[in-house]
Amino acid sequence: MAVTLADVAAVCRLSMSTVSRALSHPERVNARTRSRVERIARELGYVRHEVTRSQVSRRTAIIGLIVPDIANPFFSVMTKAVQDRAWKKGYSVMLADTDERAADEPDRARVLAEQADGLILASPRADDGRLREIARSSPVAFANREIARSSPVVFANREVDGAAGVVIDEYAGMNEAVQYLVSLGHRSICYLSGPGRSWSDQRRREAIGAACRAHGAELTELGPFEPQIQAGMRAADVIRFRGATAAIAYDDMIALGLIARLAERRVKVGREISVIGIDCGPLSEAAHPMLTTVHLPGAELGALAVDLLLDRLDPAAAGREPPRVRLESRLVIRGSTGLRVP
Amino acid sequence: MAVTLADVAAVCRLSMSTVSRALSHPERVNARTRSRVERIARELGYVRHEVTRSQVSRRTAIIGLIVPDIANPFFSVMTKAVQDRAWKKGYSVMLADTDERAADEPDRARVLAEQADGLILASPRADDGRLREIARSSPVAFANREIARSSPVVFANREVDGAAGVVIDEYAGMNEAVQYLVSLGHRSICYLSGPGRSWSDQRRREAIGAACRAHGAELTELGPFEPQIQAGMRAADVIRFRGATAAIAYDDMIALGLIARLAERRVKVGREISVIGIDCGPLSEAAHPMLTTVHLPGAELGALAVDLLLDRLDPAAAGREPPRVRLESRLVIRGSTGLRVP
DNA sequence: CACGATGCTGCCAACGCTTGCAGCAATTGT
DNA sequence: ACAATTGCTGCAAGCGTTGGCAGCATCGTG
């Protein structure tokens, strides 16, 4: 057995209450008592049993984060930011990776919710109905009492009716990208789409479609592709028969695979064909030529999701409207795009 | 307030013990009772309060994972494996990212240990002394009782005396790499070293040194470099004045930055200079030419660390010697290496 | 028919800490 | 000098589950 509060109290010849207060609300006990308690606690090697504390106080200081694939740089960058912000605010992060299986999300959410004070769902793949269910988890009534044990949920990179969330507005970035391509002379653009279950893919597709119509470019679509380098390579083999002179990929992974394979085929990226990716962290610089990309503020997304969640955790937030925040994206021009050669 | 066991018991007209057993040890109650309890619990929307359960049972079913940088693909791949294995065994993962700050490791370990049943420290940067301290956390004695509240620790990618761990034996892989370069005619090899605090860097350096002596190649060292693409780019500017015809980088990030910058400088990688990386996940294929790399089984490392940890969690493991496991590395030959041109 | 075995269920203490309330002394104001 | 206030500490009731022990039918066996 470990040293408990009772042990410390016994040695101090004080009641447990006082010891507990000395350790948790130092301002509520005499300064001398406090330092004596602190010293003895230290000498005995007392460490508070956090689990018990959580049980009594109804909070674990844990936030749960669910991502589709932590190995995807976009999510690992975001996770890093979540973790960092949470740590600074005194919270720990429990991580769940669904490996892109939408069906697992409710399960994972349920399990995390049992121990976390709140949940962040990043780019969830499940449908709106299921997500809404997760968001207001089991509001059953019983014996005239409201049922509470529901963890607040914040969605990142996904809009769900009536739920709190942070999203990245990709519209502007995509529009910039298309406009830039058109200004370079490209008239036929190919979108390499991401997994159908991705809400972002829908948005990107819409945004590109609208931009192409606005700027008078023709749009073709290829896909869906998994957000992985291998998939991008496969895309390279298909794209050349489409007559497009420029491609926008669902994400940098696909774009990277694409230009690697094109380079292998001796196609000069940035000259014979222009490629634009969509940001997943610092990877866009790994290629040669370096990837022109629509930068997504993944780190800010994560940090903000934490802020929103902690805000909701405050009981004062109970009544308030779930907050929605929108971040901006922007085009970063590098070497993988260039003037259309006739 | 939420529905508690007591509520369910009241509706069932049974004692809490019976309800508890019906839900947790179904075989210990009458089949009819059990299904009645299950039905009513479901109807009332009862969900067991895991925190209380943990408090009583002394286990949280959480394992803590500490990594230096989750945005580094090596760790995100490993984390994914840890998470996956843990989930399959009924555990959740709490993640801490120290952002390469060795000094933070003890703090993070302490906090995680308060809520986790055990800890995995991946490539910790702190020194052996501190790590040993973490591993046997505070064995103070008091009033004739042993102090237990110490979470078992497993180290991944680091050997610590007397502690359990999984490491990757990079010796063979590095030797293969050097041997291969020599067989291609290279006699002067440059090692781009990683951060000095990295234990792996020491091992890799030693391994390469030994291999160079064994195969009669001359070794120069450049560095230290942070494991990031940017750092690799900087390396490119330095390496060309060193007369080496081949380089081995501390990791793929550095290698990727290196060859991207070299390509920019119109140096033909794989012909004028050969580059070998050390695996961080699937990135080695992102470059053109694709990176020859020493493959490190990061996913296996993670899964195995979980297995070891869960093993140690079994009280039967109390006496046993802390297990040590060693995984193999191997060279994967791709396009970034080639015959030396005179 | 009696007796032990067996199968279920209930009682109750325990887990370690927090916190509202009350008690008590010292301090302050009048 | 007395009441009111202030500052500190102790008491005890929880928090929601679990599990050892005991009680009580029911069953099978000699």
Side-chain angles (χ1 to χ4, degrees):
Chain A
M1 284 301 299
V3 180
T4 72
L5 241 205
D7 299 325
V8 180
V11 174
C12 294
R13 307 184 149 283
L14 284 171
S15 72
M16 286 169 54
S17 336
T18 304
V19 176
S20 169
R21 276 189 285 254
L23 265 19
S24 304
H25 305 283
E27 77 287 357
R28 308 201 35 138
V29 302
N30 186 299
R32 301 249 308 280
T33 323
R34 181 202 320 160
S35 55
R36 205 167 75 87
V37 169
E38 282 170 349
R39 182 175 52 76
I40 293 182
R42 196 169 343 104
E43 285 174 8
L44 295 179
Y46 169 74
V47 316
R48 189 201 274 125
H49 193 270
E50 282 300 329
V51 176
T52 297
R53 193 182 206 211
S54 299
Q55 196 237 21
V56 172
S57 65
R58 269 62 258 286
R59 68 185 284 283
T60 57
I62 295 175
I63 76 184
L65 171 64
I66 305 182
V67 299
D69 179 14
I70 186 68
N72 179 317
F74 179 77
F75 295 113
S76 63
V77 166
M78 176 186 167
T79 298
K80 190 178 177 91
V82 166
Q83 201 284 147
D84 184 66
R85 185 61 136 254
W87 170 249
K88 287 193 176 124
K89 302 260 189 168
Y91 282 74
S92 296
V93 173
M94 279 184 48
L95 176 71
D97 178 317
T98 61
D99 205 23
E100 298 276 357
R101 285 183 301 266
D104 284 7
E105 288 168 0
D107 285 346
R108 306 306 299 262
R110 204 171 307 121
V111 171
L112 286 196
E114 284 167 4
Q115 308 189 263
D117 292 336
L119 258 42
I120 296 175
L121 300 213
S123 304
R125 308 308 196 192
D127 57 77
D128 279 37
R130 244 174 278 282
L131 293 181
R132 231 161 320 172
E133 220 165 88
I134 293 176
R136 48 174 160 57
S137 56
S138 63
V140 186
F142 168 68
N144 294 346
R145 317 186 281 173
E146 287 288 315
I147 294 214
R149 204 129 80 210
S150 67
S151 310
V153 172
V154 168
F155 293 95
N157 227 1
R158 171 81 174 251
E159 264 169 350
V160 177
D161 274 5
V166 200
V167 295
I168 298 177
D169 181 3
E170 298 163 341
Y171 220 87
M174 296 313 246
N175 188 60
E176 247 187 289
V178 169
Q179 188 172 6
Y180 175 61
L181 287 175
V182 169
S183 77
L184 290 172
H186 299 279
R187 289 293 174 272
S188 174
I189 298 176
C190 178
Y191 175 58
L192 304 177
S193 65
R197 59 189 175 277
S198 160
W199 185 80
S200 299
D201 185 60
Q202 315 288 350
R203 312 309 305 267
R204 291 173 195 176
R205 161 181 292 150
E206 285 170 21
I208 293 179
C212 283
R213 277 191 299 282
H215 299 101
E218 192 193 341
L219 177 67
T220 60
E221 274 190 38
L222 244 47
F225 296 100
E226 286 301 303
Q228 281 161 13
I229 290 175
Q230 294 292 351
M233 296 190 158
R234 253 174 288 123
D237 298 332
V238 189
I239 199 171
R240 301 166 62 203
F241 303 104
R242 291 310 185 98
T245 60
I248 299 181
Y250 165 74
D251 80 350
D252 279 2
M253 303 293 273
I254 295 175
L256 244 36
L258 175 68
I259 71 179
R261 176 60 61 90
L262 287 174
E264 211 169 285
R265 298 273 188 272
R266 304 253 174 284
V267 177
K268 292 207 176 53
V269 173
R271 295 184 51 73
E272 297 169 48
I273 188 169
S274 287
V275 175
I276 295 185
I278 297 175
D279 190 80
C280 333
L283 241 59
S284 32
E285 300 171 338
H288 177 75
M290 292 204 289
L291 201 53
T292 295
T293 199
V294 176
H295 174 73
L296 267 28
E300 289 82 345
L301 182 72
L304 217 48
V306 172
D307 289 343
L308 253 53
L309 184 58
L310 296 193
D311 227 64
R312 305 237 76 202
L313 255 35
D314 182 351
R320 276 185 250 153
E321 189 81 348
R324 312 294 210 94
V325 182
R326 181 172 290 271
L327 296 171
E328 294 304 321
S329 61
R330 64 168 212 285
L331 182 67
V332 177
I333 298 175
R334 288 193 277 244
S336 65
T337 41
L339 279 174
R340 173 184 173 210
V341 294
Chain B
M1 284 301 298
V3 181
T4 72
L5 243 204
D7 298 325
V8 180
V11 175
C12 293
R13 308 184 151 282
L14 283 171
S15 73
M16 287 168 53
S17 334
T18 303
V19 175
S20 169
R21 275 189 286 255
L23 264 20
S24 304
H25 304 284
E27 76 287 358
R28 308 200 35 140
V29 302
N30 185 300
R32 300 249 308 280
T33 323
R34 181 198 322 158
S35 55
R36 204 166 77 89
V37 170
E38 283 169 349
R39 182 174 53 75
I40 294 182
R42 196 168 344 102
E43 285 174 8
L44 295 179
Y46 169 74
V47 317
R48 188 200 274 125
H49 193 268
E50 282 300 330
V51 176
T52 297
R53 192 181 207 209
S54 298
Q55 196 238 26
V56 172
S57 65
R58 267 65 255 291
R59 67 186 285 282
T60 58
I62 294 175
I63 76 184
L65 171 64
I66 305 181
V67 300
D69 178 14
I70 186 68
N72 178 317
F74 179 77
F75 295 113
S76 63
V77 166
M78 178 186 165
T79 298
K80 190 177 174 92
V82 166
Q83 201 284 146
D84 184 66
R85 185 61 137 252
W87 169 249
K88 287 194 176 125
K89 302 260 189 165
Y91 281 75
S92 296
V93 173
M94 278 184 49
L95 177 71
D97 178 316
T98 62
D99 205 23
E100 297 277 356
R101 286 183 301 267
D104 285 7
E105 287 168 1
D107 285 347
R108 307 306 300 261
R110 204 171 307 119
V111 172
L112 286 196
E114 283 167 4
Q115 308 189 259
D117 292 335
L119 258 42
I120 296 175
L121 299 214
S123 304
R125 308 307 197 193
D127 58 76
D128 280 36
R130 244 174 278 281
L131 292 181
R132 232 161 318 169
E133 221 166 86
I134 293 175
R136 47 174 160 58
S137 59
S138 65
V140 186
F142 168 68
N144 294 344
R145 317 188 281 172
E146 287 289 315
I147 294 212
R149 206 129 79 208
S150 68
S151 310
V153 172
V154 169
F155 292 95
N157 227 3
R158 171 80 172 250
E159 265 170 350
V160 177
D161 275 5
V166 202
V167 296
I168 299 178
D169 182 1
E170 297 164 341
Y171 219 86
M174 296 313 246
N175 188 61
E176 246 186 292
V178 170
Q179 188 172 6
Y180 175 61
L181 288 175
V182 169
S183 76
L184 291 172
H186 299 280
R187 289 293 174 273
S188 174
I189 298 175
C190 178
Y191 175 59
L192 305 177
S193 66
R197 58 188 176 278
S198 159
W199 184 81
S200 299
D201 184 59
Q202 313 289 350
R203 313 308 308 265
R204 290 172 196 177
R205 163 181 289 149
E206 286 174 24
I208 293 179
C212 283
R213 279 192 298 282
H215 299 102
E218 193 192 341
L219 177 67
T220 60
E221 272 190 39
L222 244 47
F225 296 100
E226 287 300 304
Q228 281 160 14
I229 290 174
Q230 295 291 351
M233 296 189 158
R234 254 174 286 123
D237 298 331
V238 189
I239 198 170
R240 300 166 62 203
F241 304 104
R242 291 311 185 97
T245 59
I248 299 181
Y250 166 75
D251 80 350
D252 279 2
M253 304 292 273
I254 296 175
L256 243 37
L258 176 67
I259 71 179
R261 177 60 61 89
L262 287 174
E264 211 168 285
R265 299 273 188 273
R266 304 253 176 284
V267 177
K268 292 207 177 53
V269 173
R271 296 184 49 74
E272 297 169 49
I273 188 169
S274 288
V275 175
I276 295 185
I278 297 175
D279 190 80
C280 334
L283 243 58
S284 32
E285 299 170 340
H288 176 75
M290 293 206 287
L291 199 54
T292 296
T293 199
V294 176
H295 174 74
L296 265 30
E300 289 82 343
L301 182 72
L304 217 48
V306 172
D307 290 343
L308 253 54
L309 183 59
L310 296 193
D311 227 64
R312 306 236 75 201
L313 256 35
D314 182 350
R320 276 185 250 152
E321 188 80 350
R324 312 294 209 91
V325 182
R326 181 171 291 271
L327 295 171
E328 294 304 322
S329 61
R330 62 167 214 287
L331 183 67
V332 177
I333 298 175
R334 288 193 276 244
S336 67
T337 42
L339 278 175
R340 174 185 171 208
V341 293

